Amino acid sequence: MKGALICLFAISLTVGCVKDDDNDTGQSVGADADADADADGDADADADADADADADADADADADDTGKPDPPPDGVGDDCSTVFGDPGVIDCSGDCVPIEWATMASDGGFIGDGYCDDETEEFEAHFNCETFIFDGGDCGDEAGTDSPYPECTSDTDCAESMFCGVECWTGGCGADGSVPIDTTGMFCQPCDECHYDDDAVSGSCDTCGGATTGESSPDCSDSDLTLYAEARLGDRSVPAVFTETDTIAAAGVIENMCDLDLSYTTTSTCLVGFMEISGPDSWSEAPICGMAITDHTVPGAGWAESAFLVGTLSAGDYTLTVNFGGGDAATTEFTVIR
């Protein structure tokens, strides 16, 4: 562009010489030649400068072109406010998106919902980075890594700064990252989740340099017991949705959030007195129990459960209700697709 502007300026000088008021032809020709020579010299210099700039730009582009995606910007995962003033979170592209999108599909979010939310932002968000557990595995091999919280049997199965825990505290666990938060089972977890030795499958947080909480919880009581119903597969995993070919199991689980053993008292010998599933298909189970008041031990940072095989179900939405032997009840909803 600079060369083009100078060229126009040179033409302007030539036209001016033709219109010399003194009709000094010799001087006009000489001035014209000098102007042309100067313009040509300037144009050549500019052309050389442009060529050097282009070469430098090409070299810089070649140096930047590593074939690898750019790392996510700073602040990914931080809180923010959307353009509508609603609570948000910074996604992998550095954009502020609604905070409810950045939750697991089981909680109504985009992570682990079966749709890839990558840098193309086809669905208005980018969650395919480590902060958001690579969109819960929705992008498959595009994530470029395995699940950050795979199943394990010992600490040696886990990456550095991780341990084999008795629960998925982080969410996004399992081979495909679809296991939701607070699901019981053996999964690799970050060391900052090893609050008590009983949080680890090994019974010790030594691989993480010791438990983050050095002493037992001071006030353990029945309020530390969490009762819930769970529909799951035979390997104890809980998918976002089931299929008509999945063999489903139903469980009543009592989880102890304290590091000390606690008891749950029932009016019979059974932990669970009755279960039922309602929906397009129906199912129920009532185990035969002895008539005796029974204290069931729920180990510290562990759980006690009663599970039964349901089998396959037709596509549709279902509700599982579990009646525990102590008079408590819990429900959960799940979906079966074709």
Side-chain angles (χ1 to χ4, degrees):
M1 183 62 70
K2 288 182 178 179
L5 289 174
I6 291 171
C7 181
L8 291 175
F9 182 65
I11 293 173
S12 176
L13 288 176
T14 301
V15 173
C17 290
V18 172
K19 293 185 177 180
D20 186 3
D21 292 336
D22 295 335
N23 292 321
D24 189 351
T25 305
Q27 291 181 352
S28 298
V29 172
D32 190 23
D34 289 344
D36 287 346
D38 289 343
D40 290 343
D42 290 342
D44 290 342
D46 287 338
D48 290 342
D50 289 344
D52 289 343
D54 290 341
D56 289 343
D58 291 342
D60 289 341
D62 291 339
D64 291 339
D65 187 11
T66 61
K68 298 179 180 179
D70 293 333
D74 293 337
V76 172
D78 289 350
D79 294 337
C80 60
S81 294
T82 68
V83 293
F84 302 106
D86 298 323
V89 65
I90 302 297
D91 72 1
C92 304
S93 293
D95 299 324
C96 185
V97 298
I99 195 167
E100 61 268 20
W101 291 5
T103 60
M104 296 301 297
S106 56
D107 296 319
F110 287 9
I111 300 175
D113 64 352
Y115 297 93
C116 178
D117 301 296
D118 58 13
E119 64 276 6
T120 64
E121 298 188 4
E122 180 180 358
F123 303 103
E124 308 301 328
H126 181 194
F127 294 131
N128 192 28
C129 63
E130 186 174 3
T131 303
F132 300 101
I133 56 173
F134 298 100
D135 200 25
D138 287 340
C139 298
D141 292 338
E142 294 177 21
T145 183
D146 295 327
S147 166
Y149 309 122
E151 295 183 55
C152 58
T153 57
S154 69
D155 295 334
T156 57
D157 295 332
C158 304
E160 186 178 356
S161 299
M162 301 186 77
F163 73 106
C164 187
V166 298
E167 184 176 329
C168 178
W169 292 286
T170 57
C173 299
D176 60 358
S178 64
V179 178
I181 189 172
D182 293 336
T183 299
T184 53
M186 297 186 293
F187 303 99
C188 292
Q189 293 286 274
C191 276
D192 59 7
E193 296 291 351
C194 203
H195 301 290
Y196 305 102
D197 285 337
D198 289 337
D199 288 340
V201 171
S202 65
S204 170
C205 295
D206 287 350
T207 191
C208 293
T212 58
T213 302
E215 300 178 357
S216 300
S217 300
D219 299 313
C220 292
S221 66
D222 291 348
S223 63
D224 291 291
L225 296 177
T226 302
L227 287 69
Y228 58 92
E230 185 174 80
R232 62 195 188 196
L233 299 175
D235 61 0
R236 295 177 54 88
S237 63
V238 181
V241 294
F242 296 89
T243 67
E244 289 185 318
T245 60
D246 286 333
T247 299
I248 300 172
V253 183
I254 302 178
E255 185 176 4
N256 185 357
M257 305 305 291
C258 178
D259 63 314
L260 302 178
D261 292 352
L262 295 175
S263 294
Y264 180 76
T265 304
T266 60
T267 57
S268 72
T269 57
C270 292
L271 185 68
V272 170
F274 180 72
M275 291 187 187
E276 67 175 344
I277 291 177
S278 58
D281 298 333
S282 60
W283 172 91
S284 63
E285 181 70 36
I288 299 174
C289 308
M291 298 308 295
I293 295 177
T294 306
D295 289 332
H296 302 265
T297 299
V298 186
W303 66 91
E305 65 175 44
S306 183
F308 300 93
L309 182 66
V310 177
T312 58
L313 295 172
S314 302
D317 295 324
Y318 291 87
T319 300
L320 166 63
T321 302
V322 176
N323 293 312
F324 292 89
D328 302 291
T331 63
T332 187
E333 297 179 348
F334 63 96
T335 299
V336 178
I337 61 175
R338 289 186 171 83

